[in-house]
Amino acid sequence: MNNPNPGCEEDVVIRTQIHLIRNLTDVPFCAKMSRADRQKLSERVVEAFSGNETLSHLFQFTDMESLSRVEAVSLVERHLVSADFISDRRGRGFFVNADETVSIMVNEEDHIHLQSSEAGLNPQKAFATADGLDDILDKCLGFAFDENLGYLTQNPVNLGTGMRASLMLHLPALREGGGISRISANLSKLGLALRGTFGSGVEPKGAVYQLSNRVTFGLSEQEAIANLQSIAMQLIEQERAARKELAESLEIQDTVSRSLAILQSAKMMANEEFMQLISNVRFGVATGLVDPIDYGEINRLMVLVQPATLTFYSGKKLTPAERRSLRAEKIRDFLKKGKYLWPN
Amino acid sequence: MLCDSCGKNPVTTHIKTIINGELTEYSLCAECAQRLGYGNLLTGLGCDYGSLLGGFFGGTELDDPVRCKCCGSTFDDIMRSGQVGCAQCYHTFYDRLIPLIQRIHGNTRHRGKVPGGGALQSRPQEQLSLMRRELREAIDAENFEHAASLRDRIKELEGGKVHE
Ligand SMILES: [Zn+2]
Ligand SMILES: [Zn+2]
């Protein structure tokens, strides 16, 4: 099996994300805030950041109201903010660091929602980053905490650590085998959630899934992470075994080769078609059916040719046809170079 | 409103997501939410408002005039929305929220991170636990003078009402 980055399990795990939810002690929670309240809190947080050397050095603030719709959607496609966050942008803003691995939403469901990402399976590193920033933010802002209840949150479901750890997984072989819903039901008994990414229509499309912990109360951050990681390793092994078997089928080999050929030569490419084809090619890379391509670069491609992000970086309004044509061009270019060189 | 997935059952969960560059909201019934991996996300206090209130208080709490000094919420407001109004609400309605929180999370307590910064004056238990930690550290560092004064203050606090 072809895995150039052992330890990070990048053949299956696309990325790790740690979320921390925090609130201030003396301000109503977000559902109780007016737009002016949100604005005021946002200004207070911006002030705290600019008053702290580390934070002001690392982060740049963006007022959500200052963005175009395309830009806002692109932030969700790039996993910097949530879809809920852009559904009402009034009085909301976020901080992001230069390499876009850490973002901090202000006034999402809670006052502060910090996210820290790492490529592949690496919850320890993502948590260490989040934990360190949490300490600094707590000194500046003073988070609401209770010895028995832990961090105080708007929804009591998040009480305790206020932490969600999530893994984005590529599970084409388990999906092909049709066992995902059974696995998902079993995982939910263990306090974890496995969900597919929606396509057009409610049913999950493509083979990208999100695995996350649901329990925040009664166990420590490290325990929650260890639990998630050990279950993820079992899923990863199952997926690998299923891949090995699938890769022997001539039909599957044919699908992978055709998928690569279409991506290499198509002149127009719709987003959903792309997601299916690139999933096949990623599977091909992992099983040795396709020459190696860096997983990190494939992941970057998968984000950067999403509709709003593609449009945003093109710097102009695109008709759907122009968008499909630009996407096809960027994909052809990527497959020639094995690297995604645009927009930088 | 009926579920976007099966078209049969009433909606319990709303999920916002981006599909092909557009912000989209799906409304799902409990069963489909479950099947798609969103089912076991507890929805918090609002989950079974009627039965919780009925079971615990027989509905008599609805006229309760107590309001949170910080955000103005009554206990009824919190139950109705399933959302707590502010951090102070957890103090104001502590004894009434605890059974509900136990119902969501089980009979347990926080075992994770404890913040090290200031701004923890909100509950005596927090102060106590911090002071006990400081006491251990002072003893470890053989700073006995400081330890002695901490021990006296802890005794004082423990002698008073620990649970508001
Ligand atoms: Zn349904
Ligand atoms: Zn309140």
Side-chain angles (χ1 to χ4, degrees):
Chain A
M1 200 125 318
N2 179 354
N3 185 5
N5 250 328
C8 278
E9 325 298 345
E10 285 191 279
D11 55 326
V12 181
V13 185
I14 297 173
R15 57 158 65 216
T16 303
Q17 216 166 25
I18 296 285
H19 304 253
L20 292 182
I21 293 168
R22 300 289 187 254
N23 287 284
L24 277 61
T25 50
D26 54 349
V27 185
F29 291 155
C30 291
K32 281 264 173 190
M33 291 168 97
S34 65
R35 183 188 167 179
D37 291 338
R38 289 189 189 184
Q39 196 82 45
K40 240 200 289 182
L41 177 64
S42 181
E43 281 162 20
R44 186 166 148 194
V45 177
V46 168
E47 219 164 274
F49 270 67
S50 55
N52 180 288
E53 209 176 316
T54 315
L55 297 177
S56 62
H57 182 72
L58 286 176
F59 291 100
Q60 186 136 25
F61 179 74
T62 302
D63 181 345
M64 288 303 288
E65 290 182 60
S66 73
L67 300 180
S68 68
R69 198 189 57 82
V70 163
E71 224 172 333
V73 173
S74 167
L75 294 175
V76 183
E77 290 174 350
R78 281 141 69 202
H79 309 290
L80 295 174
V81 305
S82 65
D84 278 302
F85 193 63
I86 70 161
S87 66
D88 176 4
R89 294 193 260 139
R90 290 170 301 171
R92 286 178 164 165
F94 78 105
F95 296 86
V96 64
N97 66 348
D99 62 6
E100 301 195 345
T101 52
V102 180
S103 64
I104 298 160
M105 290 178 262
V106 182
N107 297 324
E108 208 245 19
E109 188 184 335
D110 292 84
H111 293 150
I112 301 289
H113 181 144
L114 187 155
Q115 317 182 135
S116 161
S117 303
E118 289 293 330
L121 180 69
N122 204 342
Q124 274 79 14
K125 190 165 175 218
F127 177 70
T129 305
D131 188 37
L133 286 167
D134 178 43
D135 288 341
I136 300 175
L137 288 168
D138 186 40
K139 279 208 184 81
C140 300
L141 297 165
F143 293 141
F145 179 82
D146 177 276
E147 194 197 345
N148 294 317
L149 302 178
Y151 288 95
L152 302 179
T153 52
Q154 174 164 283
N155 190 330
V157 160
N158 298 317
L159 283 172
T161 59
M163 183 196 79
R164 302 247 173 248
S166 71
L167 304 175
M168 198 185 278
L169 304 173
H170 185 222
L171 304 175
L174 289 176
R175 175 169 156 260
E176 187 71 23
I180 294 279
S181 56
R182 184 183 44 81
I183 294 171
S184 173
N186 286 336
L187 288 175
S188 83
K189 288 181 207 136
L190 297 168
L192 297 168
L194 181 71
R195 330 168 157 155
T197 316
F198 290 112
S200 57
V202 176
E203 302 309 310
K205 293 271 161 69
V208 177
Y209 292 83
Q210 193 187 304
L211 177 71
S212 58
N213 68 311
R214 294 198 334 258
V215 182
T216 54
F217 202 65
L219 80 177
S220 70
E221 290 84 353
Q222 294 301 344
E223 288 166 327
I225 286 172
N227 187 23
L228 178 77
Q229 192 156 15
S230 86
I231 287 175
M233 282 315 297
Q234 292 175 35
L235 258 184
I236 291 166
E237 291 310 330
Q238 283 181 41
E239 168 66 21
R240 282 179 183 153
R243 284 180 185 183
K244 211 168 169 184
E245 207 169 301
L246 271 186
E248 282 166 15
S249 138
L250 192 61
E251 235 169 73
I252 296 288
Q253 293 173 10
D254 181 62
T255 304
V256 170
S257 300
R258 282 170 188 272
S259 300
L260 180 63
I262 293 171
L263 289 176
Q264 279 168 332
S265 58
K267 297 286 184 190
M268 288 179 102
M269 182 59 62
N271 189 48
E272 291 208 344
E273 183 186 7
F274 162 71
M275 291 305 279
Q276 185 55 57
L277 296 174
I278 196 72
S279 169
N280 296 343
V281 169
R282 205 181 191 283
F283 167 87
V285 171
T287 48
L289 297 174
V290 170
D291 289 341
I293 308 172
D294 185 82
Y295 289 117
E297 291 297 327
I298 298 178
N299 301 343
R300 230 162 79 76
L301 175 77
M302 285 167 76
V303 167
L304 289 171
V305 302
Q306 291 295 307
T309 303
L310 192 68
T311 307
F312 172 60
Y313 283 124
S314 80
K316 51 186 187 242
K317 272 205 169 121
L318 299 175
T319 64
E322 285 169 337
R323 206 157 66 184
R324 287 201 290 276
S325 145
L326 182 62
R327 181 179 295 115
E329 179 195 324
K330 295 302 168 196
I331 295 165
R332 291 197 308 272
D333 195 44
F334 169 83
L335 289 169
K336 245 179 246 150
K337 296 174 180 134
K339 235 177 148 35
Y340 198 75
L341 296 168
W342 186 79
N344 304 309
Chain B
M1 189 158 43
L2 292 177
C3 172
D4 285 340
S5 182
C6 64
K8 284 188 288 202
N9 303 325
V11 166
T12 58
T13 311
H14 299 271
I15 295 144
K16 290 197 184 76
T17 183
I18 301 292
I19 303 294
N20 292 325
E22 300 296 334
L23 182 65
T24 311
E25 186 176 291
Y26 288 126
S27 305
L28 303 175
C29 71
E31 209 174 295
C32 292
Q34 169 86 26
R35 183 171 50 81
L36 295 166
Y38 291 85
N40 284 297
L41 291 180
L42 296 150
T43 42
L45 298 177
C47 52
D48 47 358
Y49 172 61
S51 67
L52 279 178
L53 269 191
F56 279 97
F57 313 114
T60 53
E61 300 288 325
L62 290 168
D63 302 323
D64 188 346
V66 176
R67 283 182 181 278
C68 171
K69 285 197 184 75
C70 172
C71 72
S73 294
T74 63
F75 186 65
D76 190 36
D77 291 337
I78 295 173
M79 294 304 294
R80 225 194 303 264
S81 64
Q83 289 167 325
V84 178
C86 75
Q88 296 301 322
C89 284
Y90 279 105
H91 305 171
T92 312
F93 306 110
Y94 197 79
D95 294 338
R96 279 181 279 179
L97 282 170
I98 284 294
L100 307 181
I101 290 166
Q102 282 174 349
R103 184 128 160 188
I104 296 172
H105 291 285
N107 191 1
T108 184
R109 60 197 300 269
H110 177 56
R111 285 210 0 240
K113 181 172 179 176
V114 174
L120 284 172
Q121 303 85 350
S122 39
R123 289 183 61 80
Q125 286 101 319
E126 287 165 19
Q127 268 180 327
L128 267 174
S129 97
L130 276 183
M131 283 166 66
R132 287 196 196 104
R133 193 161 74 177
E134 206 181 331
L135 175 63
R136 279 196 300 275
E137 282 166 9
I139 292 170
D140 286 346
E142 299 186 10
N143 187 351
F144 297 116
E145 209 171 302
H146 185 47
S149 90
L150 274 168
R151 195 195 47 218
D152 292 345
R153 276 167 52 208
I154 290 170
K155 265 198 188 140
E156 213 172 284
L157 270 172
E158 279 173 339
K161 42 176 192 166
V162 173
H163 211 284
E164 288 165 320

